[in-house]
Amino acid sequence: MLRIDVLNGPNLNMLGIREPGVYGELSLSTIEQMISEKASQLGVQVTFFQSNHEGAMIDRIHAAYGKLDGIIINPGAWTHYSYAIRDALSTVSLPVVEVHISNIHKREEFRHHSVVAPVAVGQIAGFGPLGYTMGLEALVAQLSQHNG
């Protein structure tokens, strides 16, 4: 069974409260339930982690090495400047899908650039919470191609 970590960065614990016009009204736990249901349909195991602390996220990424098959990450604001998160993802040599609830390319200029994208197999942005399940399907397809 494929094992995938779903990681969420700063402020994503406040989904449903934080700018619902941008991020929607669903809580992170509701989104995680949606992802779990899709994972069950796909026959994969998912685990979830959210942190507002960069070092804790790096530790979690490092812990995936040799134990997991892939990572789905919404790095939040770290997307745009955290070379440490980018380097951690690169170091563990796992396929990564970058997900954003909003379309970062239609927002403020500083949000247009991702330092994570170059180490990801793909980026999904602008489809709301559906982006996570889209990312899960894409990652499972990617892993199945390489493991099949």
Side-chain angles (χ1 to χ4, degrees), residues 2-125:
L2 294 174
R3 296 156 305 173
I4 298 169
D5 235 354
V6 180
L7 308 178
N8 282 282
N11 298 310
L12 290 161
N13 58 307
M14 299 302 287
L15 288 174
I17 298 167
R18 177 184 178 217
E19 298 182 73
V22 174
Y23 299 106
E25 297 183 3
L26 298 181
S27 68
L28 182 57
S29 62
T30 300
I31 293 168
E32 288 174 347
Q33 183 58 42
M34 291 170 46
I35 299 164
S36 290
E37 289 170 11
K38 178 56 75 175
S40 180
Q41 292 170 11
L42 296 171
V44 300
Q45 178 185 344
V46 291
T47 49
F48 301 100
F49 181 75
Q50 186 280 326
S51 183
N52 296 314
H53 304 281
E54 190 175 34
M57 184 63 71
I58 292 166
D59 290 343
R60 180 65 179 235
I61 293 166
H62 289 173
Y65 181 75
K67 294 184 181 88
L68 299 179
D69 299 295
I71 294 173
I72 296 169
I73 187 168
N74 182 339
W78 292 327
T79 301
H80 317 295
Y81 68 87
S82 181
Y83 295 104
I85 297 288
R86 179 235 179 263
D87 289 350
L89 291 167
S90 178
T91 297
V92 296
S93 299
L94 292 170
V96 174
V97 173
E98 179 183 351
V99 171
H100 297 282
I101 293 170
S102 68
N103 184 345
I104 61 173
H105 305 287
K106 288 180 74 174
R107 297 188 60 200
E108 303 93 336
E109 183 69 31
F110 74 89
R111 296 186 196 275
H112 295 188
H113 179 71
S114 168
V115 300
V116 173
V119 299
V121 294
Q123 181 190 74
I124 298 172

